[in-house]
Amino acid sequence: MKLTRRNFIAAVIGGVAGIQATPLPWKLTDDVAIWTQNWPWVPVPPTGEFAEVSSVCNLCPGGCGIAVKKVDERAIKIEGRTDYPVNPGGICPVGMGGLQLLYDESLRFTGPMKRAGLRGAGQFTEISWGEAFDIVAGRISTLRKKGMPEAIAAVDGNPEGTTVSALIKRLMRAMGSPNYVRPPSITDTYRMGNLLMQGTLSPMAYDLENSDYVLSFGAGLLEGWGAPGRVMNAWGMWHDGNPSKRKTRIVQVESRASNTASKADMWVAPRPGTDGALALGLAHVIIKSGQYDARFVAEHSSGFDDWRSLEGTTHTGFKRLVLEKYSPEQVAKITGVNPKTIVSLAKGFASAKAPVAVYGKGKDSLNGSLYEFMAVQSLNALVGSINRSGGVLLPDPIPLSNLPILKVDAIASEGLKKPRLDQAGTMRYPFTDSLINNFTDAINNSPKSPVDTLLVFSANPFFTLPDGGGFKNALEKIPFIVSFSPYRDETANMADLILPDCTYLEKINDTVWPTGLQYPLYGLSKPVVEPLYNTRNTGDVVIELSRAIGESVGAGFPWENFEEALQARAKGLFDAGGGLVSYDSDAPAWQRKTAGKGPKPGYKSFDEMWEEMQSGGMWYRPVSSPKSWKGLFNTPSGKFEFSSKLIAQAIEDYSNKISKKAALKNMSLAAIDDEACMAHYEAPKAGADSSAYPLRMLPYEMMNLASGWIPSPPFLYKTIFENQLLKDKSFAAVNPKTAAKYNLKEGELVAVKSPVGELQVRINLFEGAMPGIVYLPLGFGHTAYDEFLKGKGVNPNNIVQAGQDPISGYPVWWNTPVKLVKV
Amino acid sequence: MKKGNDHGKHKYGMVIDIDKCTGCGTCMVACAAENNVSVRADQSDKERTITWMRLYKISNGKEFPHTEVSYFPRPCMHCDHHPPCVSVCVATATKLDFNTGIVSQIYTRCIGCRYCQAACPYGARYFNWWDAFPQDKGMDRYLTPEVSPRMRGVVEKCTFCHHRLMRAKTLAYAEDRRELEEGEYVTACTEACPAQAITFGDLNNPEHEVSKLIKHPFTFRLLERIGTEPKVYYHSSRDWVRKLGDNFLPGEYTPVVNKTWAEEEWSTKPGRDEF
Amino acid sequence: MKDPVNSSKKSSAKGGDVSSPSGFFPRWMNINIIAQDVGFFILGLIGASIVGWVIFPAVLYSKHPQPINFNHALHLDSEKVDGIEGETKAEKCLSCHVFRDDGTFAGIPKLEKCTECHDDPESPLGETPQEKAFMTKYVADDKEIPWFVYSKQPDCVYFPHIAHVKMGNIDCTTCHGDFADNEKLPLYVKNRLTGYSMNIWGERISGFYWNKKFSDRMKMDDCARCHTEKGQEQNNACFVCHK
């Protein structure tokens, strides 16, 4: 039979009819519909068993307690711990986004690496840990054999007092190099000021939660000062929903309407760098009105009234200095603050029950000025808020054991005799531990870098130092750089060798006494997840490196691993007794308990304590009652010194060595004699002609942007406003009046020019900016990391022209002369 | 006409205390981390960046040095009365659940027409212009299985962390309970706020803190007069902040001064202008 | 190019056919031809049925044996296996398919559960080659078994077992069918187009069920139907089952 066209059509019709009675068209339609609802490229997060691991955040020295949520082996969310004394429940946005710093692979080094491309290009090839150790140890051993161990230098950004920092210091000493420097921090200023005025070495302890009047001189309470989780928690407590129940007044002294300034009960805006003068103005009003704590001043202070020395010369006291030079009218001229405001502020402060004046400069990651701190601390002393509940407490230092005494060999002891490159601790900077700006200059000013090998730990000085790009130039000169950073930061990109650390969620580490906390706290973080990559805890690496160098260096590190070293130091916490290792949120650590009432430690042995610390992550002692006055102040006079005898002695010693004039010049001092020993105001030397550079540039910090060595988690860029960053341009906040002067409109592109460089930004007209000041946000302008962070905005540090703070020598980063030029 | 959904069992809502709010942005980050919200290289274009919880910066507009800034953290308002997004949705992808008061959003049902986005008076809805997750960076490792990652071409918004409600219910069932205690179900932003500025709870339960707080004279809502009955309330002792909660014509806004019924319990001390 | 000669020929021949005066009825009503048409129509019908009912399902679904066989019947014998407790089947199921403390359902047990008994890779408890394979391939290497999950729902679905099993008193078998007496795991049948398990859409390719059982299918309609039937209509709000 022949298949005709007609037959065929019949069969097709039959087929079409027949197929209707089968599931094919219907099921196919349904399946296709479902298929279009499939997005195979959209990840489906695997589920599993939910768990929560407690640890401590290490992203800033604040050390908040964190609870990391996990699904099987994956960490999926970081939350604040309610069972941790520092931050009952909350953490800052940086800590909240921490998992991106763990899991964003392009931010991280995945193993030890050797530089493959040009410096700064970020091209590396992976090597083995053995090879990496061979390279560093070989280089160090060669330098030591040549008798020049001082050519090894280290920049250590780990918070002071942490065990890894102690080990790094120890390694430097064991190798024989004095050139151990740290990036500046506000704690340096606190330490020096407290040493000079109180003779104490314990950390700054502001009893904020118990205060009823917090007068903050520049401390960015809501910008990340101290432990952000603690301060913001206190902020919530201070602002009861019912205003009549609010017990604490908050006053912010700052030139810009920051979050703290706006949210405070009162905002006072002096010119940048004149906070000290304002504090002295308050002191003037308080002294004149007799509102000061006469008992404290008489019994526990020295240098308040004029006094006669043994030789018979009359010395000016604090009282006379303040009364003569800092009347509200005089201060108004310096600061631009209305004299009436100064008077009412002083009255309010002095009549509060437990006032406290807090000193700071934004976050705690940049230094302050010594005399400003002394002025603020003098104010605390005047109202008797030193060693008083709700004021400044003077707790004992944290009782960590000292590491065993280090025996150094002949090479090392020769090396340690060599002068430090940064001159810290010399007669010129007698009280300073470390001056990284001088270190940078020493390298940049010599034809050949005096540093052969630079070790960089937990720091990104290339980006974070307010030095106009000086450190970057120094890096280019240093022959060999080793970075221990887990992140591909700017400094690491300049390095020749990377020995990557684990991130804070992959390792055991400690935090020691968060900045400004009023009670001793030791936090212990633990690995929340197994290390994702071939990285090692720098604590372990330092110990291993010492072994690889061998000789007496290795002998100085008798611990099997980092955890043993941690235990060795924590032994002291057990020996001291009385420390708590768990926290009950109903008994806040800042709340004073009647003696014998508070919670008691439950552990019997060190091992028991350590085990509990590993699970709980903490050792602390609840806030103590004010201490007995006897022997409290370890100053030459045995009292709180309005006029520091140590400064007087240092100036005298230095003047005896070189001329007095030269000594004062070298110490960057304008004041002389008695005034130089007390809190006073000195106008910073103008770095440039004010007609050429009529404006001042002030970098400012934000809570929601990391400006230190830790990169910002990409999530944080969601919180940045479009008038702070737009595409690749960041904004300068300028008062509309200032902008009008230069005919600048919102969003307009300008160059901010300082004597050392220029930056292109857009203009943001902001009423809350002080006229005449250009405010640039810190934390933008990365040239490293990945597409989330790179090339966004500019880094104001690159145009900072920093003078030297008198006596301390720290960079005065808040006084850069600039001009605005339309692009 | 009856307003709101009084017939439902629960009506979850929140009160945000603007006095406590520090503008730190932790709520935004917590929200993004909790809800698998996408991250892109350029997040400065706020019309393209997805932020279920978003801070709006406000200012009193006064000259230096009397300037003040503040923030309105803005999640989805979960409007209780004819949510504008729900009535316009052609695909029934968004609905108001009368049992919880939560306005849902089902991504697999959304057709991406963005009508709801246009309808929302609060700008709380976001469109996925791109696929969310960079493929090769390992950033999908922190995604939570509790929230479905979205695909390009759909609209998403704050869900009051309804998966946390599921989680709380599941736990309650495991403990042989059917009802939740106050505080068992709170959103991620509530929990994360380091200043405890956010209070979350059941507005239908008079025992819950939120039910008490919304009666306070300092409490207000954003664009209250358009009548969508948002379930997100704000609280501020500063008049200028409250005034910015709606577009008042001159003379329309009446400052809160000593509401008599509350005089005993709630003092309305002057703001800091009189400090 | 068309050949004008041929095409004209063809058309003329055709035209000749139509106009042929061979009977009263037009040629197309010729009974033979109709029979032929019907024949071909039925042929097409049969062909389509074969394609639709036989070939299509065969092509649509791919069949996968589980990585190893698991004998439910054997493991549910509480005399042979420690830890199997309970009287009812559901209770027995829950011995291994546990609820965690937080109320979440663990689903298929992890290897850890297996190694509670099968702890030594060197000495299997039974004699089957399946167990031997299990020991050498998974226990020895501490590797999880990549099971195919018959009732895996898409990511947008939230299904709390505890609300159904514990609070709703629904037996496991109601949705999953009875596995208790199974000695051999069924093949995992996957829809090539959608990627979902056949158990979701239902085993009957027709989609028709005269005697509706919940274990037949697991689509959204089925969830809603059950909620409605059980008087839980309020649970048909989107966010009850979607995430």
Side-chain angles (χ1 to χ4, degrees):
Chain A
M1 197 177 75
K2 217 178 93 196
L3 180 73
T4 63
R5 175 187 157 98
R6 192 183 164 108
N7 297 152
F8 177 74
I9 291 171
V12 167
I13 292 173
V16 169
I19 213 85
Q20 307 306 313
T22 73
L24 190 140
W26 322 113
K27 173 85 170 125
L28 207 59
T29 310
D30 191 33
D31 280 2
V32 167
I34 296 173
W35 174 77
T36 63
Q37 298 287 295
N38 273 347
W39 296 268
W41 58 90
V42 174
V44 177
T47 189
E49 188 162 7
F50 285 78
E52 212 170 77
V53 184
S54 298
S55 189
V56 177
C57 183
N58 282 173
L59 294 180
C60 84
C64 291
I66 51 170
V68 184
K69 273 221 187 88
K70 289 178 74 179
V71 172
D72 291 341
E73 287 314 302
R74 293 190 302 128
I76 55 163
K77 172 98 188 288
I78 297 180
E79 283 164 5
R81 273 172 76 179
T82 49
D83 60 342
Y84 198 76
V86 178
N87 59 317
I91 48 170
C92 76
V94 181
M96 188 58 87
L99 287 183
Q100 293 190 318
L101 303 183
L102 170 70
Y103 285 127
D104 182 357
E105 189 172 309
S106 51
L107 280 181
R108 297 190 53 184
F109 288 112
T110 52
M113 295 197 182
K114 225 161 62 174
R115 182 162 60 86
L118 289 172
R119 274 193 170 171
Q123 288 160 341
F124 296 91
T125 44
E126 200 149 344
I127 55 174
S128 72
W129 274 99
E131 209 179 321
F133 279 125
D134 285 347
I135 296 171
V136 194
R139 194 145 182 126
I140 288 170
S141 298
T142 315
L143 284 174
R144 274 168 52 82
K145 274 199 198 100
K146 278 198 236 161
M148 41 190 297
E150 72 279 4
I152 311 162
V155 178
D156 179 17
N158 289 295
E160 181 92 58
T162 54
T163 302
V164 66
S165 176
L167 291 184
I168 293 164
K169 259 187 214 171
R170 191 177 175 88
L171 180 70
M172 291 302 286
R173 276 186 58 78
M175 293 188 301
S177 171
N179 290 315
Y180 167 88
V181 290
R182 311 177 52 81
S185 137
I186 196 75
T187 47
D188 298 330
T189 309
Y190 293 154
R191 190 197 59 79
M192 193 182 303
N194 285 339
L195 175 77
L196 296 175
M197 301 183 91
Q198 297 163 186
T200 55
L201 280 174
S202 56
M204 197 70 223
Y206 290 119
D207 196 6
L208 297 177
E209 286 87 342
N210 292 308
S211 171
D212 67 345
Y213 196 116
V214 177
L215 173 55
S216 151
F217 286 88
L221 297 177
L222 302 183
E223 270 75 38
W225 176 87
R230 172 218 181 189
V231 181
M232 289 197 283
N233 178 62
W235 196 271
M237 291 193 319
W238 289 332
H239 292 84
D240 193 284
N242 181 350
S244 71
K245 286 190 184 162
R246 293 181 191 167
K247 297 278 179 282
T248 308
R249 279 262 140 104
I250 320 291
V251 179
Q252 179 71 357
V253 176
E254 192 178 351
S255 72
R256 184 181 67 98
S258 65
N259 286 357
T260 317
S262 293
K263 294 280 183 173
D265 295 304
M266 187 181 178
W267 169 38
V268 183
R271 295 190 185 105
T274 65
D275 293 9
L278 182 67
L280 294 172
L282 299 189
H284 176 101
V285 178
I286 292 170
I287 294 173
K288 210 167 176 190
S289 64
Q291 273 187 304
Y292 63 93
D293 185 339
R295 206 173 136 207
F296 176 88
V297 167
E299 290 176 18
H300 308 300
S301 83
S302 91
F304 182 74
D305 294 304
D306 295 352
W307 79 95
R308 284 174 88 87
S309 68
L310 295 173
E311 300 92 56
T313 37
T314 312
H315 289 272
T316 313
F318 181 70
K319 184 176 169 184
R320 187 139 73 93
L321 173 74
V322 167
L323 288 180
E324 275 176 10
K325 288 198 163 175
Y326 297 97
S327 72
E329 291 69 30
Q330 286 164 307
V331 170
K333 270 197 200 116
I334 303 170
T335 62
V337 176
N338 191 329
K340 270 191 211 150
T341 311
I342 298 173
V343 174
S344 77
L345 197 57
K347 295 241 156 98
F349 186 69
S351 51
K353 271 197 209 104
V356 64
V358 180
Y359 178 69
K361 279 249 185 250
K363 290 184 189 178
D364 43 20
S365 51
L366 287 169
N367 61 280
S369 151
L370 176 65
Y371 283 123
E372 272 183 16
F373 173 77
M374 285 173 71
V376 174
Q377 197 67 343
S378 299
L379 201 54
N380 279 321
L382 262 192
V383 295
S385 275
I386 306 270
N387 193 33
R388 181 168 74 185
S389 181
V392 175
L393 302 182
L394 283 83
D396 294 325
I398 201 157
L400 287 166
S401 298
N402 290 325
L403 296 176
I405 289 167
L406 179 73
K407 289 196 191 84
V408 297
D409 60 10
I411 303 170
S413 62
E414 275 311 302
L416 290 171
K417 278 181 207 151
K418 304 267 170 54
R420 282 176 67 100
L421 288 173
D422 64 357
Q423 303 175 54
T426 60
M427 294 183 105
R428 191 170 172 184
Y429 311 103
F431 311 110
T432 313
D433 279 346
S434 158
L435 279 170
I436 196 162
N437 282 34
N438 279 1
F439 175 80
T440 310
D441 291 344
I443 295 168
N444 285 338
N445 295 342
S446 51
K448 184 172 166 280
S449 168
V451 173
D452 174 82
T453 301
L454 179 73
L455 314 175
V456 187
F457 299 92
S458 303
N460 184 12
F462 180 121
F463 181 80
T464 63
L465 287 186
D467 62 358
F471 200 87
K472 174 181 180 266
N473 300 335
L475 284 175
E476 273 159 10
K477 282 178 84 173
I478 297 171
F480 196 73
I481 301 163
V482 185
S483 171
F484 294 78
S485 175
Y487 305 114
R488 294 175 172 267
D489 57 51
E490 284 83 359
T491 312
N493 273 354
M494 296 291 285
D496 302 276
L497 190 67
I498 310 286
L499 279 73
D501 197 351
C502 301
T503 62
Y504 73 116
L505 296 168
E506 300 166 300
K507 64 173 182 178
I508 186 165
N509 200 7
D510 58 2
T511 50
V512 180
W513 208 316
T515 312
L517 200 67
Q518 71 270 53
Y519 52 89
L521 180 128
Y522 177 86
L524 192 65
S525 53
K526 61 173 167 247
V528 172
V529 292
E530 290 293 311
L532 298 177
Y533 306 111
N534 186 17
T535 58
R536 290 190 193 173
N537 190 336
T538 293
D540 289 319
V541 169
V542 168
I543 294 172
E544 268 174 84
L545 184 59
S546 75
R547 298 233 172 86
I549 300 167
E551 303 167 69
S552 68
V553 179
F557 292 78
W559 308 281
E560 191 69 26
N561 54 34
F562 182 53
E563 191 175 340
E564 267 189 25
L566 284 168
Q567 286 184 9
R569 286 183 88 216
K571 189 79 181 27
L573 301 177
F574 176 74
D575 295 339
L580 302 178
V581 290
S582 65
Y583 176 71
D584 171 12
S585 54
D586 293 330
W590 50 265
Q591 224 164 47
R592 238 166 232 96
K593 324 267 175 330
T594 30
K597 274 277 173 67
K600 300 263 174 318
Y603 51 85
K604 297 275 180 304
S605 64
F606 173 76
D607 290 340
E608 233 176 277
M609 181 188 94
W610 184 253
E611 208 173 289
E612 284 190 49
M613 279 171 69
Q614 274 181 314
S615 64
M618 73 191 93
W619 177 99
Y620 72 103
R621 271 193 199 143
V623 69
S624 53
S625 302
K627 285 163 54 180
S628 145
W629 293 103
K630 212 174 153 217
L632 186 63
F633 300 113
N634 202 14
T635 50
S637 65
K639 292 182 172 176
F640 178 88
E641 293 188 350
F642 282 104
S643 175
S644 169
K645 300 244 173 346
L646 288 176
I647 295 181
Q649 190 64 47
I651 294 176
E652 199 186 316
D653 289 350
Y654 198 20
S655 304
N656 290 344
K657 191 151 180 232
I658 56 177
S659 76
K660 186 166 182 180
K661 207 175 152 199
L664 292 176
K665 183 169 173 275
N666 277 354
M667 291 170 118
S668 324
L669 265 171
I672 50 162
D673 302 331
D674 294 326
E675 193 178 1
C677 306
M678 284 182 281
H680 66 276
Y681 171 74
E682 277 184 23
K685 284 174 212 83
D689 184 5
S690 69
S691 61
Y693 295 96
L695 304 171
R696 290 279 175 279
M697 187 278 287
L698 190 60
Y700 73 92
E701 290 159 305
M702 291 185 272
M703 175 68 93
N704 50 345
L705 193 65
S707 48
W709 84 277
I710 292 282
S712 286
F715 273 145
L716 261 62
Y717 284 80
K718 286 184 187 296
T719 69
I720 305 293
F721 294 101
E722 62 270 49
N723 58 10
Q724 290 174 315
L725 179 76
L726 190 62
K727 299 249 182 287
D728 57 344
K729 289 278 184 292
S730 52
F731 284 69
V734 179
N735 191 288
K737 280 187 192 138
T738 311
K741 225 178 186 175
Y742 299 95
N743 206 9
L744 296 169
K745 288 177 207 73
E746 175 75 30
E748 214 162 343
L749 211 55
V750 292
V752 184
K753 288 190 181 176
S754 86
V756 296
E758 74 167 88
L759 298 171
Q760 273 198 18
V761 292
R762 288 185 187 280
I763 287 290
N764 169 31
L765 302 181
F766 180 42
E767 288 285 0
M770 177 177 273
I773 313 281
V774 178
Y775 295 90
L776 289 179
L778 272 173
F780 293 125
H782 278 293
T783 52
Y785 303 120
D786 58 4
E787 77 261 30
F788 293 113
L789 285 81
K790 196 176 184 170
K792 295 193 185 301
V794 293
N795 180 6
N797 285 330
N798 290 342
I799 59 162
V800 168
Q801 190 194 36
Q804 285 205 334
D805 186 51
I807 306 275
S808 75
Y810 291 134
V812 177
W813 50 267
W814 50 85
N815 191 44
T816 302
V818 292
K819 60 181 169 188
L820 293 177
V821 182
K822 231 187 241 195
V823 176
Chain B
M1 194 169 67
K2 206 172 144 193
K3 279 200 168 183
N5 71 79
D6 302 328
H7 55 281
K9 213 171 162 194
H10 304 288
K11 201 165 98 175
Y12 290 106
M14 64 166 66
V15 181
I16 305 175
D17 190 330
I18 306 293
D19 289 355
K20 290 186 182 186
C21 169
T22 67
C24 68
T26 309
C27 51
M28 289 181 72
V29 178
C31 172
E34 175 87 17
N35 290 299
N36 295 341
V37 174
S38 72
V39 190
R40 294 188 53 79
D42 176 27
Q43 304 196 81
S44 66
D45 181 354
K46 298 302 173 191
E47 287 184 3
R48 297 283 187 275
T49 302
I50 300 179
T51 45
W52 291 10
M53 170 62 110
R54 177 169 170 193
L55 287 182
Y56 282 99
K57 194 174 188 170
I58 51 173
S59 164
N60 66 353
K62 288 193 185 168
E63 280 190 7
F64 183 90
H66 304 288
T67 322
E68 279 173 44
V69 296
S70 198
Y71 303 88
F72 281 135
R74 191 250 36 221
C76 168
M77 297 286 145
H78 294 275
C79 300
D80 213 44
H81 181 66
H82 293 311
C85 53
V86 170
S87 38
V88 300
C89 182
V90 293
T92 332
T94 182
K95 292 281 279 177
L96 170 61
D97 181 349
F98 290 109
N99 275 298
T100 57
I102 296 175
V103 176
S104 61
Q105 173 74 19
I106 307 301
Y107 317 118
T108 41
R109 191 150 189 153
C110 174
I111 58 167
C113 71
R114 303 175 63 213
Y115 199 168
C116 56
Q117 211 184 350
C120 178
Y122 300 99
R125 292 177 157 268
Y126 294 90
F127 184 69
N128 282 278
W129 290 93
W130 300 276
D131 281 315
F133 295 93
Q135 290 293 311
D136 50 342
K137 300 167 77 88
M139 285 171 83
D140 51 356
R141 287 178 289 187
Y142 62 71
L143 297 182
T144 167
E146 287 187 302
V147 182
S148 289
R150 275 72 65 187
M151 51 297 291
R152 96 180 150 237
V154 300
V155 168
E156 61 181 82
K157 66 161 195 89
C158 154
T159 62
F160 262 177
C161 287
H162 96 285
H163 61 280
R164 285 178 165 240
L165 173 63
M166 310 275 211
R167 193 198 290 164
K169 272 185 173 170
T170 301
L171 181 66
Y173 294 160
E175 292 167 356
D176 282 317
R177 294 178 285 129
R178 280 196 180 270
E179 294 304 321
L180 301 177
E181 298 288 312
E182 183 176 11
E184 265 193 290
Y185 160 45
V186 295
T187 60
C189 52
T190 308
E191 185 185 79
C193 179
Q196 295 94 44
I198 309 179
T199 315
F200 187 83
D202 185 355
L203 297 167
N204 274 359
N205 187 335
E207 295 301 306
H208 280 202
E209 189 67 24
V210 280
S211 309
K212 298 174 190 166
L213 285 172
I214 59 169
K215 293 183 185 137
H216 191 279
F218 286 166
T219 302
F220 62 102
R221 291 182 279 186
L222 297 183
L223 306 180
E224 206 162 344
R225 298 179 299 167
I226 59 174
T228 58
E229 301 286 316
K231 286 192 281 287
V232 176
Y233 292 77
Y234 296 85
H235 178 103
S236 175
S237 64
R238 297 186 188 189
D239 237 20
W240 72 264
V241 172
R242 293 196 296 267
K243 203 171 166 181
L244 284 172
D246 209 335
N247 301 309
F248 293 103
L249 292 171
E252 268 191 328
Y253 175 75
T254 22
V256 183
V257 195
N258 290 324
K259 288 226 169 150
T260 47
W261 66 272
E263 212 169 10
E264 286 287 305
E265 200 186 343
W266 302 105
S267 151
T268 49
K269 278 196 177 165
R272 71 180 206 174
D273 288 347
E274 285 88 344
F275 181 84
Chain C
M1 282 221 16
K2 274 189 179 174
D3 180 345
V5 180
N6 279 346
S7 63
S8 71
K9 245 187 197 169
K10 217 175 179 180
S11 69
S12 72
K14 221 174 176 184
D17 277 352
V18 171
S19 59
S20 151
S22 60
F24 176 77
F25 294 107
R27 187 174 134 80
W28 62 268
M29 285 188 73
N30 182 316
I31 194 76
N32 283 336
I33 293 183
I34 290 178
Q36 224 181 67
D37 286 349
V38 172
F40 274 100
F41 178 81
I42 291 173
L43 211 66
L45 212 65
I46 293 170
S49 299
I50 294 171
V51 169
W53 289 98
V54 183
I55 300 174
F56 169 62
V59 174
L60 184 63
Y61 293 112
S62 60
K63 297 191 168 74
H64 309 265
Q66 293 284 6
I68 57 163
N69 183 44
F70 180 84
N71 186 334
H72 272 96
L74 179 74
H75 285 86
L76 271 173
D77 188 340
S78 46
E79 293 189 0
K80 285 187 190 153
V81 181
D82 281 348
I84 301 295
E85 282 159 11
E87 295 299 309
T88 64
K89 272 180 186 164
E91 283 170 13
K92 284 186 175 179
C93 296
L94 289 172
S95 307
C96 289
H97 302 283
V98 295
F99 283 117
R100 304 190 189 100
D101 289 345
D102 61 0
T104 55
F105 182 64
I108 298 176
K110 288 269 163 77
L111 187 70
E112 200 184 353
K113 185 80 192 164
C114 311
T115 52
E116 279 176 21
C117 300
H118 301 269
D119 52 350
D120 186 0
E122 300 301 313
S123 58
L125 302 172
E127 281 153 14
T128 61
Q130 285 288 336
E131 195 196 342
K132 208 168 205 171
F134 164 60
M135 289 303 206
T136 50
K137 263 170 104 174
Y138 301 105
V139 181
D141 299 348
D142 202 18
K143 212 174 89 188
E144 291 293 341
I145 307 163
W147 296 111
F148 292 103
V149 183
Y150 300 112
S151 37
K152 190 162 183 86
Q153 290 283 349
D155 186 48
C156 59
V157 177
Y158 175 78
F159 182 86
H161 277 83
I162 198 158
H164 296 85
V165 177
K166 185 176 173 183
M167 306 314 269
N169 275 322
I170 299 170
D171 209 65
C172 308
T173 55
T174 311
C175 302
H176 290 286
D178 197 344
F179 272 76
D181 305 322
N182 270 14
E183 296 196 345
K184 201 165 177 345
L185 289 173
L187 287 173
Y188 175 79
V189 185
K190 181 178 151 186
N191 187 316
R192 287 187 210 269
L193 202 54
T194 66
Y196 293 118
S197 159
M198 190 168 74
N199 298 55
I200 302 296
W201 205 85
E203 282 179 42
R204 289 200 193 168
I205 192 80
S206 70
F208 288 109
Y209 294 86
W210 283 267
N211 180 20
K212 278 184 181 173
K213 283 200 305 185
F214 288 108
S215 60
D216 286 340
R217 317 187 316 169
M218 293 178 192
K219 292 191 78 181
M220 186 165 136
D221 294 352
D222 304 290
C223 301
R225 178 161 59 90
C226 184
H227 282 173
T228 310
E229 277 174 21
K230 298 228 166 197
Q232 306 281 322
E233 219 159 338
Q234 74 278 12
N235 283 353
N236 285 334
C238 311
F239 260 2
V240 173
C241 310
H242 279 292
K243 61 176 183 155

